[in-house]
Amino acid sequence: MELGLPFAIGAAVVWGVYIFVLKRSFSGYPPAGLTVLINAAAIAWFLPVTVATTDLGGATLASDPLGAPERVARSLATVDPQAVAVVAGTATATAVAFVLFLRAIAGGDVSYVTPINKVVPMFVLPLEVLLLGEVLAPVQVAGVVVATAAVYVANYEPGSLLAPLVSAVHSRPAQLALVSAACYAVSDLGKRVALQELAIPGTLWVPLLLAGAGLVLLPAAVRTPPAVTRADAPKFLAAGALVALGEHLTTVAFASLPASVASPVINTQAIVAVVLGGVVLGERYFRVRLVAALLAVVGVGMIAL
C-alpha cells in the first residue's frame, strides 16, 4: 500500500462526516457565507500548527526585533511567482467549482446534478497523464474507474442509470455540474503540483488554500451574510475543526500520491455521507448506497495493489 493512501482514506471519512454535519446542522445558512465562516474557523484551528512548523523568516524576531523588516523583505523577495500562481489558481478553481455546483442544484434536480458533479477523478486521470506524464498500472486505472462509478452510484436515485449523463447534453444545470467537476479536477491537479513539484510545505498550504477560497467567496458572503448568533459558535468551531483535519489529511495524501489516485479515494467521501444519512436519518435508497460502498472498497483496493 502506498504511503499516502491511508491519509486519503482518512480524508474521505472526515469529509464524509463533514458533509453529513453540514446537511444536518447548517442547512439554513447561505452557502458562500457559511463556507467563509467555517474556513475562518479552520484557519484559526490550524494556524498554530503552521506557525510552529513553518519558517517564515521571523524565527529570531524576539532576539532581534530591529532586523525584522529586513528579514520580512528578504522572505518576500524569495517568494516563487509560480507558487503564488498555483496557490491562487487552485483556490480559485475550488471556489468556482463550489459556486457552479450551487447554481446547478438551484436550477436542476439534485438526483441528476449531484452524480455528474462527482465524476471529478475521470477528469483528473487524463489531465495528469497528459500534463504531468503520470503513469499508472492498468489495475490502478481500473480501480479509479470503479471508485468513480461507486461515487456516481452513491448519488444516484433509481430510474435510468445514464439519465444524469444524458441530461448533460441539453440540460443547463447538468452542464454546470459537469463544468464544476472539471474545476474540482483542476483544483486536485493544482494540489499535486503545489505539494510535489513546487514542494510547498503542507502546513503552509492548508491555511493558504482555505484563505484563498474564502477570499474568492467573500463578495458573495458579504452580499448575503449568514445570521449567526453566539449560540452558533460551538458548531462553527466544530465544523472548522473537521475542515482543518480534512484539509490536513488531504494535503498529506496529495503530497505523496498521484492526483489520479488521491482524487478518487478522497471523493468516496460522498459514500460516507450518504451511508451516514441512511443509518442516522433513514434516507431513501439505502441498499443502493451500500452497493456503492462495496464498489468503493473494491476500487480503493485495486488502487492500492
Side-chain angles (χ1 to χ4, degrees):
M1 180 181 289
E2 296 187 66
L3 179 62
L5 200 55
F7 291 94
I9 294 170
V13 173
V14 171
W15 287 125
V17 172
Y18 174 65
I19 293 170
F20 176 76
V21 168
L22 283 183
K23 185 175 182 179
R24 191 169 189 187
S25 303
F26 294 93
S27 58
Y29 296 91
L34 174 65
T35 303
V36 169
L37 288 176
I38 291 179
N39 279 14
I43 292 171
W45 280 109
F46 200 83
L47 206 53
V49 179
T50 301
V51 172
T53 59
T54 307
D55 181 9
L56 300 177
T60 58
L61 179 60
S63 60
D64 183 18
L66 296 179
E70 289 148 359
R71 283 195 304 278
V72 171
R74 283 198 302 270
S75 297
L76 291 174
T78 59
V79 171
D80 184 356
Q82 187 179 10
V84 173
V86 170
V87 172
T90 304
T92 301
T94 302
V96 169
F98 174 72
V99 170
L100 288 174
F101 178 64
L102 292 180
R103 290 185 179 178
I105 60 176
D109 293 337
V110 174
S111 58
Y112 276 179
V113 168
T114 306
I116 296 173
N117 189 246
K118 299 305 179 184
V119 298
V120 176
M122 299 311 295
F123 286 102
V124 175
L125 180 58
L127 283 174
E128 189 171 38
V129 170
L130 291 173
L131 298 179
L132 300 178
E134 187 62 50
V135 178
L136 297 181
V139 68
Q140 288 182 304
V141 174
V144 170
V145 173
V146 171
T148 304
V151 176
Y152 182 91
V153 170
N155 291 278
Y156 162 76
E157 294 191 6
S160 172
L161 185 62
L162 297 179
L165 294 178
V166 172
S167 71
V169 176
H170 53 78
S171 167
R172 182 66 173 170
Q175 291 165 0
L176 289 173
L178 199 60
V179 176
S180 172
C183 289
Y184 276 125
V186 171
S187 171
D188 283 351
L189 211 61
K191 291 173 185 175
R192 179 255 163 96
V193 171
L195 295 165
Q196 293 190 33
E197 275 72 13
L198 298 179
I200 296 176
T203 52
L204 179 60
W205 171 257
V206 171
L208 285 177
L209 181 64
L210 291 171
L215 285 173
V216 173
L217 293 170
L218 188 58
V222 170
R223 284 196 299 271
T224 55
V228 180
T229 65
R230 184 175 297 180
D232 292 330
K235 69 179 185 180
F236 273 93
L237 288 173
L242 279 175
V243 169
L245 177 59
E247 283 294 355
H248 171 66
L249 294 172
T250 299
T251 296
V252 175
F254 273 100
S256 56
L257 292 172
S260 48
V261 169
S263 181
V265 176
I266 293 172
N267 271 284
T268 58
Q269 61 189 260
I271 296 168
V272 176
V274 295
V275 169
L276 276 174
V279 172
V280 178
L281 302 180
E283 293 178 344
R284 299 180 300 167
Y285 311 126
F286 186 55
R287 291 181 182 177
V288 174
R289 313 311 186 206
L290 290 180
V291 170
L294 179 60
L295 277 175
V297 171
V298 172
V300 171
M302 294 169 70
I303 291 170
L305 290 176

